[in-house]
Amino acid sequence: MTLRSYVTSRVLLMIPMVMLLLTLVFVILRIIPGDPALLHFEKGVDPVVLAEFRTRLGLDKPILEQYFDYLWGIFHGDFGISMQDYQPISTHLFGRFPATLELSIYSILFAVLLGLALGVKASKNYDTTTDHSIRLFSIVTYAIPVFFLGMVLQFIFSIWLGWLPTGRRFPGRYTPPPTITGLYTIDSILAGDLFSLVTSVTYLILPTITLGTILCGIFIRFTRTNMLETLRMDFVIAAQARGLSNGTVTYRYALRNAFLPILTMIGIQFAALLAGAILTETTFSWPGLGTYLVARISRRDYTAIQGTVVFFGVLVSMLTLFVDILYAYLDPRIRL
Amino acid sequence: MDRTKLISGVFFQLIPTKETFENRSGKWWFALLALVGLALIYISGLILVAVGSNSGIGLQVVAGTFVIGLLVLVSSAWRRWMVEQEFLTKKRAFIWFIGFCVIIVIAVSVASFAVLPAAALDLWFALVSGGFTLGFACLLLYDFYPVLKERGNPGLAVTAGILLVLSIVYMTFISYWIVPHDPFTLDVGLPLAPPSSRTPLGTTELGQDLLSRTIAGGAIMLQVAVVSVIVCFIIGVPTGLAAAYRGGMVDRVVSLVMDSIFAFPGLVLAIAIAAMLGPGIINMAISIAVVYVPSYYRVIRSQVLSIKELPYVEAAVVMGARDWEILFQYILPNALPSAIVVLSINFADAILTAAGLTFVGLGFPIDIADWGYDLTAGWGVLIIGKWWLMVFPGIMIVLLALGFTLAGEGLSEILTPKLRE
Amino acid sequence: MTNALRIQDLTVEYKTRRGVARAVDRIRLSLEENRTLGLAGESGCGKSTLGRAIMRLVPYPGQIADGNIYINIDEDIPCKEGDIPKGEVDITELNEEQMRVLRGKEIAYIFQDPMTSLNPMLTIGSHFVQMIRAHDPEIEKEEALDRGKEVLEGLGILPERVTDYPHQFSGGMRQRVMIGLGLVLRPRLLISDEPTTSLDVIVEAQILEQMAELKKKFNLTMILITHNLGVLAQTADDIAIMYCGRLVELASVENVFEAPQHPYAQALLLSVPDVTKPDKKLVWIPGAPPDLVDPIPGCMFNPRCPMAMDICKTQVPPLIESETGGLVACHLYGGK
C-alpha cells in the first residue's frame, strides 16, 4: 500500500466515525432528555418566555431539521448558540482553544519525555529495584485523580511555599503578549518579550507537571514493555554481535523501533489528554475549554455543553488521524 | 495457559495448596508490607481513632468481625487439613466449609437480635459482611487462592491490591457502627475547624465531622463502581463475543460504533450523559458504563478473533461441534481472562471518572457522604489554607483506585502474559 | 597449528524463578585455526547458549558462571578502555567496551532467522555504515558504503540495493546480507547459529556453498551450530555433540559418522534417515531429556541409555580420549 492510498483510506474511515459520534452526542443531549429548554429553566417558567427561548435557539423546529442544521453548522465550524447569552458557541471555543492547546502540548511533551526516559531506564535495568520502583510509580500515577494531584501541588508550591503563581494564565495587572498563535509562550518569543515569556512559563509549570505526571504512567509502561520486547529481538542482539555500541543499540535500534508503537499510543492518549485537561484547567482556573465546559454545566446551558463536547470529539478525531498518518510516514514498511 | 490457572482466574476457586505462611519468604512479606504498609496503617488508623472516640458499640462490632474472620480462616484451614489427610474428599470438605459459614451467619443473627433488637438487621449486616471481608483477606494471605500461587511480583501486586480494596470495603461495611458522629450532623465543631482531639480530621464547611465522612464516604464510590462495572461487563462481553464470532456486517457496524465511543475523550462523553441524566448513583454509573463498554468489547473481540483461528477450535469445527459449544466451551473460557483484567482496571477507571464527574459539578447533593464531594469542597477552601478537607478524602480515592490498579496490573501479567520468561 | 579458540570449564547458568538451570556445564574444547567445528545436539541442549557465550551475549536471565574463553588475536587492537594485546586473550576478563570492539571485528555471529535479524527501520547500507563506523569512526560514510557494496557484490547481491530496506529482500538474500555484515571486517572466527534452518533446501545449499568458499577466501575458523547432521557431514571438519549442556563426544566428521562412540551419538545417528540406505531402520530415543533446573546425578543420559551401568547413575563421566582419536564422555570407555 502506498502512503497516499493509506491516507485516503484512513480519511474515508474517519468520516463515518465522526458522523456517528456527532449523532451520538445529538441523541444524548437533544433527544433523550426530551426538551432541553425545559431542563434549562429547571423550575417553572412563563410559556411565552419559553416559546421565545425555543425560537431563538431553533429548538422549535422538527427534530430532523434540527439534526441537519446541527450537522451542517459543524461542517462550517458553527457549534450552535448558547442558551445563556445567545452568542455563537464557536466564538468562545476558538477564543479559549489556544489556552487548552498550550497546556496540552507542554503536558504531552512532559509526559512523553518523562515516560520515555523512565521506560528506557526500567527496561535496561529489567527486574531490579530500579525497574520495580519505576513500575510502581507508573501504577500510582494511574490511580491518582488528576485534580487531586493538582490540588496537592497547588497547595504545596503556591499556597504554602509561595514559589509559583496559580490561577489563570497571566497576572491580571499586565497585558499578555500580542496574540499571534494564542500560545503565550510562543507569542512572547515572537514578540521578543522576555518578561512575558518568564511569566507565562511560571504559570504553566504547575498545570503542566500535574497533567504530564498523570499521563506519563501509561507511557512508562508502554515504553518499558516495547523496549523489553525489542531488546530481545534478533536484530538487536545481532547488532550487539556486530560490535555496535551500547548507546547505538539502545537508542538507534531498540528505541527507534519501539517508538512507532509508542507513537500510536500518543495518538490514543489524546482523548485522555483532553479529558485530563478539563480537570486540570478547572483545578488551576486555567481559562481554556475545560473551565468553559464546567462553567456551562453549572448554568445548565445544554447547547453550549453539546457544542463543546462535539468540539472535543472532532478535535480528537483529527489529532488521531494526524498521528496515524505520521506513523505511516515514519515506518518504512508502509512508506514505499 | 494451563487449565487450573485459567479456571481459577475466572472463578477464584478454593483449592487447597501447599503454600502456607511458613514457606513464603521473608522477602515476600517485606515487599508486601512496603507496598501496602502505609496505606493499611492509614486505614486502620482511621478505624482505630474512630472506634476510640465512638460512644456506641463500635469496639464490639470491630471485635465481632475479627472473631468471624478468624472463624472463617480456621474452618478453611480445617477443611484443607481434612483433605490433605484424606479424611474427606474435596467436594465433601467444601460442603462442610459452606455449612460452617451458614452456621456463623445464623449465630450472628441470633446474637445481634439478642444484643440490639432495635437495629438488629443493620448490626447483622455489618457483622456478617465485615466479618467475611476480613475472613476473605485472611484466606488470601494464608491460603493463597490458586491464581495468586504465581510467585514473584505479579502475585504480590494482586495480593497487595486486593488487600487494599478489601480493607476499604471492610471499613465501609462497618462504618455505620464506628463513626464518632453521624456523617450528616451539622455543627459537630466549628465550620472548617482544623484537626483537633474532638474532630481528629477537622470539620467541613458546615461543621460536619470529616473523620466520620471519610470513613462512611466510600459507599457511594463503591456502589457507582460496582454498578457501572457490572453494566459494562454485561453489555461489552456478549456483544464482543457475538460480533466477533458472527463477523460480517454486524461486526463492522458494532465495531464502528464502539470505536467511535472509544476514540472520544471518556470524561467528556460521561459529562454529557451525566449532565442529561442528573444526579444519582444509577445515573452516574450508567454514564460511566457507556464510556467503558468499548474497552471490554475491543478486548473480547480481538481475543475471539485470534482464538477462532487456533487449531483446536478449527478441529472442533471440523468435528462438527455446534456453534454454542464452540462459543462457550472453547472460546469464552480463553477470552474471559482478558476481560477479567479489563474489569479490574475498569474499577479504577470508574472510581476516577466518578470523582471527576463530582469535581465538575455533576455529583451528589450535600446530604450524602461522598469522598468526591468533600474533595471538591476542599478545593474551594484550599486557597485559604484549609488543606484537610481535600487531603483525607483524596487519599482514600487514591488508595481505592490504587488497589484496583495494582490488582489489575498483576492479573494482566498472570492471565495475559505478553513477555514470557 | 595454533588454537583460534580455547574454552575451559565454561559454565552458563540461567537463573529462573524455578531455580538455576545449567545450560552449559563445564565445557572444555579447543578449535584449531581454519577448521570448522560442527556443534550438534537436540534443541535445548545448550549449543546456542554456548555460541552466545563466546560472544558474551547470553540472553537474560543467563550468565557465564564460571570458566574461561581464550581467543587468539593477530595484532594489538586499540580500544578506549584499554588496548587488547595480541596473542591469546581471555575474553571473560575483558570489560564491556573491549568486548564490544572484539565483536564483529574478531568474532562474527550469524543468526538463525534472517527475517528478524536485520533492523527493519534501517536500509541495508546503513547496517554496513553503522557497523564499520562502530569499529573505526574515522572511516567516511561513503567509503564504508563502498565496502558494503563490494561485499554484497561478492555475495551476488546488486550493489544498488544498499538503499533498500530489509523487508524488500527474500530470506536467502537477507541471510547473505547477514553473512556480508559478519565478514565485512574480516573476522577470524565465525559462529553461525543454524544459518540455514529457516531457508528452503535449494537456498540452503547455495548459502552453505558460499560459506565454504568464503571460509577458504578469508581463512576463517568456523563454528557451525545445527541440529541437522546432514549439513555437518558436508561442511564440518570436526563434530562436537552436546547433551543437556555437556559435551559428550568430540571427533572428526568421519569418525563420528563411521564409528560414533557415545551411546547418545550412536542413537542420534540412528535416528537420521539416510538416502543411500533406504531400508535403514530409524530408531528413536525413548524418554525426554532431564529437567535442567533439577539435574540428575551421574551421566545426564543414563535414564535413556540402553547401556547404562550403576556407575552412570552416580558419577559424571569425564571427557577422555576414545579409541578413534576423538574425545568421549562415557563410562563404557573408562576402563583403559
Side-chain angles (χ1 to χ4, degrees), chain B residues 79-132:
Chain B
R79 178 188 64 104
R80 198 173 75 176
W81 182 78
M82 291 299 273
V83 171
E84 264 170 23
Q85 300 293 315
E86 297 185 350
F87 291 146
L88 288 172
T89 61
K90 273 185 189 175
K91 206 172 167 187
R92 286 260 177 95
F94 189 67
I95 294 170
W96 271 105
F97 176 65
I98 297 288
F100 275 126
C101 293
V102 172
I103 292 172
I104 293 172
V105 171
I106 294 171
V108 170
S109 51
V110 171
S112 51
F113 269 104
V115 175
L116 212 84
L121 208 61
D122 287 345
L123 182 61
W124 174 82
F125 178 74
L127 282 174
V128 168
S129 48
F132 277 92

Side-chain angles (χ1 to χ4, degrees), chain C residues 209-272:
Chain C
E209 198 169 308
Q210 260 178 342
M211 280 174 79
E213 277 168 25
L214 289 164
K215 178 182 175 278
K216 223 175 271 167
K217 189 172 155 199
F218 291 121
N219 274 336
L220 282 172
T221 311
M222 250 171 69
I223 296 179
L224 190 63
I225 302 170
T226 181
H227 62 257
N228 187 341
L229 291 172
V231 168
L232 288 186
Q234 287 171 34
T235 46
D237 301 315
D238 301 301
I239 290 184
I241 294 174
M242 284 179 73
Y243 184 74
C244 288
R246 292 181 194 159
L247 196 58
V248 293
E249 180 153 359
L250 174 67
S252 66
V253 170
E254 298 79 29
N255 286 337
V256 168
F257 280 93
E258 299 295 322
Q261 300 289 302
H262 197 279
Y264 175 67
Q266 291 164 1
L268 201 62
L269 282 166
L270 282 177
S271 65
V272 179

Side-chain angles (χ1 to χ4, degrees), chain B residues 54-367:
Chain B
N54 176 283
S55 49
I57 55 166
L59 190 62
Q60 287 87 327
V61 170
V62 172
T65 55
F66 269 90
V67 171
I68 296 169
L70 274 180
L71 283 176
V72 172
L73 178 65
V74 168
S75 51
S76 169
W78 174 83
R79 178 188 64 104
R80 198 173 75 176
W81 182 78
M82 291 299 273
V83 171
E84 264 170 23
Q85 300 293 315
E86 297 185 350
F87 291 146
L88 288 172
T89 61
K90 273 185 189 175
K91 206 172 167 187
R92 286 260 177 95
F94 189 67
I95 294 170
W96 271 105
F97 176 65
I98 297 288
F100 275 126
C101 293
V102 172
I103 292 172
I104 293 172
V105 171
I106 294 171
V108 170
S109 51
V110 171
S112 51
F113 269 104
V115 175
L116 212 84
L121 208 61
D122 287 345
L123 182 61
W124 174 82
F125 178 74
L127 282 174
V128 168
S129 48
F132 277 92
T133 312
L134 274 185
F136 187 77
C138 293
L139 286 183
L140 179 78
L141 287 170
Y142 176 76
D143 220 9
F144 243 20
Y145 284 71
V147 69
L148 309 179
K149 263 193 296 190
E150 196 87 12
R151 257 166 293 184
N153 306 313
L156 193 73
V158 178
T159 314
I162 296 182
L163 216 55
L164 262 181
V165 172
L166 285 183
S167 57
I168 292 175
V169 169
Y170 171 72
M171 190 179 83
T172 310
F173 274 139
I174 61 163
S175 62
Y176 179 79
W177 297 95
I178 59 167
V179 288
H181 304 277
D182 187 317
F184 318 117
T185 312
L186 307 182
D187 299 321
V188 169
L190 292 169
L192 287 174
S196 66
S197 60
R198 192 172 140 63
T199 51
L201 301 187
T203 61
T204 67
E205 283 170 301
L206 300 172
Q208 294 151 316
D209 179 33
L210 188 60
L211 174 64
S212 307
R213 287 182 71 86
T214 306
I215 287 178
I220 297 291
M221 285 274 168
L222 284 169
Q223 285 176 57
V224 170
V226 168
V227 173
S228 70
V229 166
I230 289 175
V231 171
C232 273
F233 196 87
I234 288 179
I235 298 176
V237 173
T239 327
L241 271 179
Y245 191 67
R246 274 275 156 256
M249 204 54 205
V250 181
D251 180 37
R252 252 177 277 164
V253 171
V254 179
S255 296
L256 190 66
V257 175
M258 292 290 181
D259 282 348
S260 327
I261 300 179
F262 186 76
F264 209 79
L267 185 72
V268 180
L269 192 61
I271 285 176
I273 302 171
M276 262 4 286
L277 295 177
I281 291 176
I282 301 289
N283 288 352
M284 192 183 258
I286 288 174
S287 48
I288 296 169
V290 171
V291 174
Y292 289 106
V293 165
S295 22
Y296 289 86
Y297 173 83
R298 286 165 64 103
V299 165
I300 286 288
R301 181 173 177 273
S302 70
Q303 282 284 319
V304 173
L305 284 183
S306 58
I307 294 168
K308 226 166 86 174
E309 303 298 318
L310 289 182
Y312 74 86
V313 177
E314 286 184 343
V317 175
V318 169
M319 284 187 289
R322 276 160 295 184
D323 268 0
W324 63 267
E325 277 174 347
I326 294 169
L327 208 53
F328 290 100
Q329 291 179 1
Y330 292 83
I331 293 178
L332 188 65
N334 286 297
L336 261 190
S338 336
I340 298 286
V341 173
V342 177
L343 182 125
S344 155
I345 298 282
N346 189 204
F347 263 109
D349 287 329
I351 287 159
L352 295 174
T353 313
L357 285 177
T358 313
F359 184 66
V360 298
L362 292 166
F364 298 94
I366 185 151
D367 53 350

Side-chain angles (χ1 to χ4, degrees), chain A residues 256-273:
Chain A
R256 207 174 147 191
N257 275 279
F259 188 72
L260 278 177
I262 294 168
L263 190 70
T264 324
M265 198 63 199
I266 296 176
I268 295 172
Q269 286 306 302
F270 280 130
L273 171 75

Side-chain angles (χ1 to χ4, degrees), chain A residues 20-21 28-29 33 39 126 132 135-136 142-143 147-148 151 155 159 221 232 271 278 282-283 297 309 313 316, chain B residues 35 153 256 260 263-265 268 271 276 349 352 355 360 362 375 379 382 390 394 401-402 409 413 419-421:
Chain A
L20 243 161
L21 207 125
I28 289 171
L29 283 159
L39 269 173
Y126 178 65
H132 297 316
R135 296 187 71 192
L136 191 64
Y142 191 85
F147 50 97
F148 181 59
M151 287 182 211
F155 181 75
I159 296 170
R221 266 179 291 171
R232 285 170 194 208
I278 293 176
T282 311
T283 318
I297 288 171
V309 168
V316 168
Chain B
L35 210 55
N153 306 313
L256 190 66
S260 327
F264 209 79
V268 180
I271 285 176
M276 262 4 286
D349 287 329
L352 295 174
V360 298
L362 292 166
L375 177 55
W379 171 64
L382 190 63
M390 139 217 130
L402 183 62
E409 280 288 300
E413 240 170 90
L419 293 167
R420 294 186 194 280
E421 282 169 35

Side-chain angles (χ1 to χ4, degrees), chain C residues 125-192:
Chain C
S126 313
H127 277 89
F128 278 99
V129 173
Q130 281 193 353
M131 158 142 197
I132 293 168
R133 284 169 56 101
H135 291 279
D136 188 355
E138 273 152 38
I139 291 183
E140 291 298 316
K141 205 177 152 188
E142 287 73 24
E143 198 190 331
L145 205 56
D146 286 342
R147 278 173 67 180
K149 283 180 184 168
E150 197 182 308
V151 172
L152 285 179
E153 210 167 7
L155 286 158
I157 296 176
L158 292 176
E160 301 90 88
R161 297 206 62 183
V162 287
T163 50
D164 284 354
Y165 285 92
H167 67 271
Q168 291 157 303
F169 287 81
S170 69
M173 284 173 67
R174 286 195 213 185
Q175 195 59 297
R176 284 195 201 123
V177 172
M178 282 304 290
I179 294 171
L181 279 167
L183 298 182
V184 69
L185 292 176
R186 304 283 167 91
R188 307 222 316 165
L189 180 62
L190 177 70
I191 305 169
S192 355

